[in-house]
């Protein structure tokens, strides 16, 4: 898809719809699946009926009511507890280094929100930029996905990064949290991921998204590199040796996040703009089913 | 050292281009990255400037050196100093025509040797010369340094009975060749062959070849039949480039026209399309040099189909040059021999220095350069511009006596000789040429005489002269060539008339030397190098 295509385009919506297939694989059951599994303990309590809407699971249709009234209604159950997925999208300037990178990050955020809604969990999406967290939107059911995607479509990048600090704040609560960021933040990831789930923090997922050029630089020669976030410059001569050292630094960064995630019971996935969003999300949901999927 | 192709030095302009490209490539480029965090960590501890696979300036020096060498090679440097390695071939024409005296009183041989000495003075003193003469000198092939060779040549003289084409002696593994002749050589001049023209400079153009283009070569226009066309090759024997126009005529009506430029001393061909009609019935090709006041310089008649050969009986020493002139003049293949070609007797009997007794049947042409035939008798009117024959009119021949000072006459025999005989004379640059003709009982007889001390005109260089005579003798009133100029003043040549008469075509060496002078592959290599340099990823 082109980098300027809308997240509400029919094509992207169809791709989101196909993500339902991911929910049938494995036992995770989605970005909130782990949380539901751990809290299951009985039959859900019936709460009310409502009109059937396209996209509703046919298993929730009350066929007896249909036989009686001729109207399609679905049964709604009261959840055992409030299960929500809080998606945290890094909106710092480095995320907009290339249109493809910013596009892929928003796609991942949209896919995570959609998956949460597909499992009948609520979702809310925040964007962190300029040291602030802004709520883009929230939805408790699938019809609320489209307004959320429209807001994701319009958001832009600016300011310095603070993914570690934002994640540290956002994951406090009984909800699952997902961070979508390039993680180009010198802060120690253990600050955000040190507290395990069982200590009251929700399940946490971290998705690192980098541009293909950032993941494997191809430039060569004398360059003045400029930081897109603060304008700082670095004069260097890019050659094989420097590129090798860059890749080593990147690998070390991923290793730090991976270890921190493992210690905190979180999931960490690294992806690039060269991969489709479905592949990155699949590695996040089924980390053991996709081998060599990039989780460092 | 000098440059044989100085324009090739323009290739050195690529040097500053390379420097500019290098400077542009060495400039630090700006590149925005998401964050400097990883780059700063990677560059930490690395010395500035490291990471290059090759230092830039030695590579630039290599490129500049290669480009400069290429540019110099394109210019084709040559050392003309005291190089001891030059071997030069000198071919000198010793045929009888080289003894012809010019207006300044010197012979072509003397003029040729003077020009040769000037040319040899340009060579390194250590140059070794090999001299071949046509016909050969008594001592055979001469070899030695410049002064020795010139001394021997100056002591030599042309062979009064010699004939042959000196161009045939050119060849061999020599650095350069010099050809001294008064004829237009059959070889084109190149950078390795210098032709020293010993003949007097004259200005004229001649049609070397004209033939109807085959139908397959004709330009085809949509909806129309192929346009008939004539291919004409014009040789420029002047000393300057000539702008010429060619007309294709049938019965005085122009069928087509073409113009071209012919370099001095070269031949050039052009196709004249007959847009005004067909070529049926025979046509004429007429050329006109824009640089002179003449209405036309040469005309060639073309027949649609080759006629039967011309059977010529030859009595006396045979002249190949005259045979070619006869072929050129008549446009027919010349078969020389004693026997009748088709049983009707020879079409022409050429008596060369010899008077046959009895007189053969049919047209007779007597050529007497020595005026030694006792039966000939010629009385010159003292002050007349036109000579009249006298003496025994009953005699078949007219005696030719040429006084030391020939009275200048103008005009040229252009009409058929009436019964009873008449004669016309002309003075061509101090070389009297007389043609006399008479008819006895319908049998045309022509006598051509030359002064004993003058040059021979029995070469293809006088096709128009012979066309007049032979046209009157063999086919009166249908001379195949006409000219506005005294042929003795012209320098017309007809190099491939035998082929034309036989209906064959030969390749024309048009501008061959011009192609040989360039080094296009070197220029292409230089361009490819530059293009590769431009395409390199910065």
């Amino acid at each position: 898809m082109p980098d300027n295509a809308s997240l509400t385009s029919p094509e992207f919506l169809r791709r989101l719809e196909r993500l339902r297939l991911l929910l049938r694989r494995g036992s995770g059951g989605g970005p909130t699946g782990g949380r539901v599994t751990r809290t299951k303990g009985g039959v859900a309590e019936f709460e009310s009926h409502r009109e059937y809407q396209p996209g509703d699971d046919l298993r929730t249709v009350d066929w007896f009511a249909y036989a009686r009234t001729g109207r399609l209604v679905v049964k709604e159950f009261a959840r055992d507890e409030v299960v929500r997925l809080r998606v945290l999208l890094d909106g710092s300037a480095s995320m907009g280094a290339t249109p493809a990178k910013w596009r892929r990050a928003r796609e991942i955020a949209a896919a995570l929100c959609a998956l949460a809604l597909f499992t009948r969990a609520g979702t809310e999406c925040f964007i962190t930029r300029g040291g602030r967290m802004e709520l883009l939107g929230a939805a408790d059911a699938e019809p609320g996905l489209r307004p959320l995607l429209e807001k994701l479509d319009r958001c832009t990048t600016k300011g310095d990064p603070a993914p570690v600090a934002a994640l540290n704040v956002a994951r406090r609560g009984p909800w699952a949290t997902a961070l979508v960021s390039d993680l180009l933040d010198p802060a120690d990831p253990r600050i955000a991921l040190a507290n395990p789930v069982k200590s009251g923090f929700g399940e946490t997922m971290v998705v690192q998204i980098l541009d293909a050029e950032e993941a494997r630089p191809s430039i060569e020669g004398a360059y003045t590199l400029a930081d897109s976030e603060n304008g700082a410059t670095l004069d260097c001569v890019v050659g094989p040796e420097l590129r090798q050292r860059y890749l080593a630094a990147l690998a070390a960064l991923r290793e730090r996040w991976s270890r921190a995630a493992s210690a905190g019971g979180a999931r960490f996935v690294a992806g690039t703009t060269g991969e489709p969003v479905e592949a990155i999300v699949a590695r996040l949901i089924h980390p053991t089913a996709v081998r060599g999927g990039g989780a460092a | 050292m000098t440059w044989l192709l100085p324009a090739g030095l323009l290739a050195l302009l690529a040097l500053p281009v390379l420097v500019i490209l290098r400077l542009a490539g060495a400039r630090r480029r700006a590149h925005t990255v998401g964050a400097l965090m990883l780059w700063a960590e990677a560059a930490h501890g690395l010395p500035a400037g490291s990471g290059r696979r090759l230092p830039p300036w030695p590579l630039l020096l290599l490129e500049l050196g290669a480009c400069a060498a290429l540019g110099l090679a394109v210019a084709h440097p040559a050392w003309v100093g005291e190089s001891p390695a030059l071997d030069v071939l000198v071919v000198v024409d010793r045929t009888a025509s080289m003894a012809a005296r010019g207006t300044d009183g010197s012979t072509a041989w003397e003029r040729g040797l003077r020009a040769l000495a000037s040319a040899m003075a340009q060579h390194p003193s250590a140059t070794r010369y090999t001299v071949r003469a046509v016909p050969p000198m008594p001592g055979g092939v001469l070899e030695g340094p410049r002064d020795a060779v010139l001394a021997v040549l100056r002591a030599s003289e042309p062979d009064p009975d010699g004939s042959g084409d000196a161009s045939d002696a050119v060849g061999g593994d020599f650095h350069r060749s010099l050809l001294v002749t008064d004829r237009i050589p059959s070889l084109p001049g190149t950078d390795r062959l210098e032709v020293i023209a010993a003949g007097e400079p004259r200005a004229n153009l001649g049609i070397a070849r004209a033939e109807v283009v085959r139908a397959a070569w004709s330009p085809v226009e949509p909806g129309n039949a192929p346009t008939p066309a004539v291919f004409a090759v014009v040789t420029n024997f002047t000393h300057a480039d000539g702008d010429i126009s060619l007309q294709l005529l049938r019965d005085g009506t122009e069928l087509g026209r073409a113009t071209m430029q012919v370099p001095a001393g070269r031949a050039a061909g052009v196709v004249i399309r007959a847009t005004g009609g067909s070529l049926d019935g025979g046509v004429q090709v007429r050329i006109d040099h824009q640089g002179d006041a003449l209405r036309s310089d040469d005309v060639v008649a073309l027949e649609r189909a080759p006629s039967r050969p011309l059977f010529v009986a030859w009595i006396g020493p045979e002249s190949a040059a005259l045979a070619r002139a006869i072929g050129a003049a008549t446009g027919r293949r010349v078969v020389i021999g004693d026997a009748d070609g088709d049983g009707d007797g020879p079409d022409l009997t050429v008596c060369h220095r010899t008077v046959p007794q009895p007189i053969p049947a049919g047209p007779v042409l007597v050529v007497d350069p020595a005026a030694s035939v006792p039966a000939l008798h010629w009385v010159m009117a003292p002050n007349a511009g036109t000579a009249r024959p006298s003496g025994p009119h009953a005699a078949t021949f007219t005696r030719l006596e040429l006084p030391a000072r020939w009275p200048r006459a103008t005009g040229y025999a252009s009409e058929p000789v009436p019964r009873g005989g008449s004669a016309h004379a002309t003075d061509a640059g101090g070389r009297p040429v007389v043609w006399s003709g008479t008819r006895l009982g319908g049998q045309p007889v022509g006598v051509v005489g030359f002064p004993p001390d003058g040059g021979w005109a029995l070469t293809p260089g006088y096709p128009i002269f012979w066309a007049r005579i032979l046209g009157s003798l063999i086919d009166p009133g249908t001379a195949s060539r006409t000219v506005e100029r005294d042929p003795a003043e012209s320098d017309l040549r007809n190099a491939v008339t035998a082929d034309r008469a036989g209906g064959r075509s030969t390749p024309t060496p048009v501008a061959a030397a011009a192609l040989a002078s360039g080094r296009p592959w070197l220029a292409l290599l230089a361009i490819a190098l530059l293009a590769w340099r431009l395409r390199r990823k910065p």
Side-chain angles (χ1 to χ4, degrees):
Chain A
M1 288 184 70
D3 296 334
N4 56 358
S6 171
L7 293 176
T8 58
S9 66
E11 182 184 354
F12 185 69
L13 291 178
R14 279 194 297 272
R15 291 175 63 185
L16 289 181
E17 195 64 30
R18 284 196 291 270
L19 290 177
R20 290 182 190 273
L21 296 174
L22 291 175
L23 302 176
R24 300 176 184 172
R25 296 166 51 187
S27 60
T32 62
R35 183 68 174 166
V36 171
T37 301
R38 280 192 292 275
T39 57
K40 71 181 178 182
V43 178
E45 183 183 353
F46 172 78
E47 189 176 71
S48 64
H49 279 104
R50 66 169 172 83
E51 290 288 332
Y52 170 82
Q53 292 178 341
D56 284 346
D57 192 343
L58 287 178
R59 290 175 297 182
T60 64
V61 175
D62 189 342
W63 297 108
F64 294 105
Y66 175 71
R68 288 194 307 271
T69 65
R71 294 169 52 208
L72 275 177
V73 293
V74 296
K75 290 183 286 188
E76 289 187 325
F77 298 87
R79 292 189 177 91
D80 291 343
E81 56 182 291
V82 178
V83 179
R84 298 184 73 85
L85 172 66
R86 176 172 287 178
V87 176
L88 205 56
L89 175 62
D90 183 0
S92 63
S94 66
M95 292 295 287
T98 66
K101 181 179 177 181
W102 182 232
R103 165 77 188 185
R104 189 66 82 244
R106 288 178 296 157
E107 284 179 351
I108 294 172
L112 293 176
C113 291
L115 283 172
L117 294 175
F118 292 162
T119 57
R120 292 184 295 157
T123 184
E124 53 192 20
C125 185
F126 288 86
I127 182 168
T128 69
R129 52 187 175 184
R132 298 176 55 191
M133 277 180 60
E134 303 170 33
L135 177 63
L136 279 178
D140 291 323
E142 292 183 31
L145 178 61
R146 188 179 181 89
L148 190 55
L149 296 182
E150 290 172 349
K151 290 180 179 176
L152 271 174
D153 240 349
R154 293 193 294 268
C155 65
T156 57
T157 60
K158 68 176 182 182
D160 292 335
V164 173
L167 181 61
N168 192 29
V169 172
R171 67 190 290 256
R172 297 175 186 274
W175 43 71
T177 306
L179 170 66
V180 181
S181 169
D182 55 10
L183 304 181
L184 297 178
D185 184 356
D188 190 341
R190 288 176 294 185
I191 297 174
L193 298 173
N195 300 310
V197 174
K198 61 184 179 182
S199 62
F201 286 80
E203 185 172 1
T204 304
M205 292 160 282
V206 177
V207 180
Q208 185 197 39
I209 184 71
L210 292 176
D211 188 79
E213 174 68 21
E214 287 177 324
R216 187 165 292 278
S218 61
I219 57 174
E220 181 165 350
Y223 280 92
T224 296
L225 302 178
D227 193 313
S228 62
E229 293 171 337
N230 53 23
T233 59
L234 173 67
D235 290 339
C236 60
V237 178
V238 183
E241 182 181 1
L242 184 58
R243 278 203 300 270
Q244 198 63 34
R245 295 176 68 133
Y246 174 89
L247 292 177
L250 176 59
L253 172 69
R254 287 171 169 171
E255 180 65 21
R256 287 198 300 274
W257 275 90
S258 180
R259 287 186 177 177
S262 296
R267 303 185 212 172
F268 171 71
V269 165
T272 70
T273 55
E275 297 175 274
V277 62
E278 292 86 350
I280 299 172
V281 172
R283 285 206 304 275
L284 186 67
I285 296 176
H286 308 297
T288 57
V290 183
R291 302 187 65 83
Chain B
M1 189 183 74
T2 185
W3 309 100
L4 298 184
L5 191 61
L9 293 175
L10 291 176
L12 296 180
L13 292 177
L15 296 180
V17 175
L18 276 178
V19 174
I20 291 172
L21 286 175
R22 171 62 70 178
L23 290 177
R27 195 177 54 193
R28 198 175 291 277
R29 283 155 288 177
H31 182 66
T32 301
V33 295
L36 281 179
M37 188 183 83
L38 296 178
W39 286 106
E41 185 178 340
H44 182 69
L46 273 183
S50 64
R52 293 174 190 264
R53 278 174 292 187
L54 276 177
W57 297 111
L59 185 61
L60 175 62
L61 290 178
L62 276 177
E63 290 177 355
L64 290 176
C67 192
L70 201 58
L72 296 180
V74 169
H76 205 67
W79 277 261
V80 295
E82 292 298 319
S83 171
L86 273 187
D87 282 331
V88 177
L89 171 68
V90 177
V91 177
V92 291
D93 185 352
R94 285 186 67 240
T95 58
S97 61
M98 290 293 285
R101 293 193 179 279
T103 53
D104 61 349
S106 63
T107 64
W109 175 260
E110 294 165 348
R111 290 193 297 270
L113 289 188
R114 281 200 297 270
L116 176 63
S118 300
M120 294 167 81
Q122 306 297 321
H123 298 162
S125 58
T127 300
R128 187 157 187 86
Y129 296 91
T130 300
V131 180
R132 296 173 185 166
V134 178
M137 288 188 294
V141 177
L142 176 65
E143 290 183 354
R146 176 174 56 201
D147 294 340
V149 164
L150 283 176
V152 173
L153 287 177
R154 282 170 181 147
S156 305
E157 289 183 348
D159 184 352
D161 297 322
S163 63
D165 189 350
S167 304
D168 297 338
V170 177
D173 189 16
F174 295 93
H175 293 108
R176 297 198 68 186
S177 298
L178 299 172
L179 173 60
V180 184
T181 182
D182 62 339
R183 302 176 56 184
I184 294 300
S186 56
L187 300 169
T190 65
D191 54 351
R192 296 186 61 182
L193 171 63
E194 181 181 354
V195 178
I196 298 175
E200 289 189 280
R202 297 185 174 106
N204 209 335
L205 298 162
I207 297 179
R209 180 158 64 106
E211 61 184 30
V212 176
V213 179
R214 287 188 297 178
W217 297 356
S218 300
V220 177
E221 297 175 355
N224 294 326
T227 305
V230 168
F231 178 62
V233 175
V234 176
T235 306
N236 182 1
F237 295 108
T238 70
H239 293 256
D241 297 348
D243 292 319
I244 69 160
S245 64
L246 293 100
Q247 276 183 296
L248 187 62
L249 302 166
R250 186 181 63 203
D251 299 331
T253 304
E254 181 176 302
L255 300 179
R257 178 182 285 267
T259 59
M260 65 176 172
Q261 189 176 60
V262 187
R266 300 295 173 90
V270 68
V271 173
I272 314 169
R273 296 174 59 191
T275 55
S278 70
L279 305 180
D280 294 338
V283 292
Q284 285 183 324
V285 177
R286 180 192 298 270
I287 66 168
D288 181 30
H289 184 200
Q290 309 290 335
D292 58 33
L294 298 176
R295 191 163 53 88
S296 69
D297 292 80
D298 199 3
V299 177
V300 166
L302 290 173
E303 295 178 0
R304 289 293 293 175
S307 57
R308 61 181 282 275
L310 184 71
F311 295 98
V312 178
W314 206 284
I315 300 173
E318 185 179 316
S319 168
L322 181 55
R324 292 179 65 188
I326 293 171
T330 61
R332 293 161 66 180
R333 184 165 59 90
V334 176
V335 177
I336 296 176
D338 296 332
D340 297 344
D342 51 5
D344 296 335
D347 298 314
L348 175 67
T349 300
V350 176
C351 308
H352 195 198
R353 286 189 171 183
T354 305
V355 178
Q357 293 295 343
I359 302 299
V364 177
L365 174 65
V366 179
V367 182
D368 176 28
S372 59
V373 183
L376 295 181
H377 177 67
W378 180 269
V379 176
M380 186 69 197
N383 298 314
T386 302
R388 290 185 298 106
S390 62
H393 288 283
T396 305
F397 300 101
T398 303
R399 176 163 180 147
L400 179 68
E401 290 180 348
L402 298 172
R405 294 189 58 190
W406 184 262
R408 183 172 186 81
T410 60
Y412 182 74
S414 60
E415 298 83 20
V417 180
R419 177 181 288 273
S422 65
H424 299 264
T426 184
D427 178 2
R431 293 191 296 174
V433 176
V434 177
W435 171 68
S436 171
T438 186
R439 285 174 179 270
L440 287 176
Q443 173 180 307
V445 175
V447 178
V448 177
F450 305 94
D453 57 348
W456 285 64
L458 306 182
T459 68
Y462 298 85
I464 297 174
F465 177 81
W466 291 111
R468 289 291 183 187
I469 296 173
L470 295 167
S472 298
L473 289 175
I474 302 172
D475 191 9
T478 57
S480 64
R481 282 174 180 261
T482 57
V483 72
E484 300 289 324
R485 168 174 294 190
D486 186 333
E489 290 184 357
S490 72
D491 202 2
L492 292 177
R493 296 291 189 272
N494 196 321
V496 288
T497 50
D499 286 341
R500 179 166 67 93
R504 301 187 302 272
S505 61
T506 54
T508 306
V510 180
L515 294 176
S517 61
R519 300 288 186 275
W521 64 269
L522 276 178
L524 286 176
L525 193 60
I527 293 172
L529 178 69
L530 191 59
W532 170 79
R533 185 64 182 83
L534 288 171
R535 276 191 73 253
R536 279 188 56 190
K537 188 175 179 180

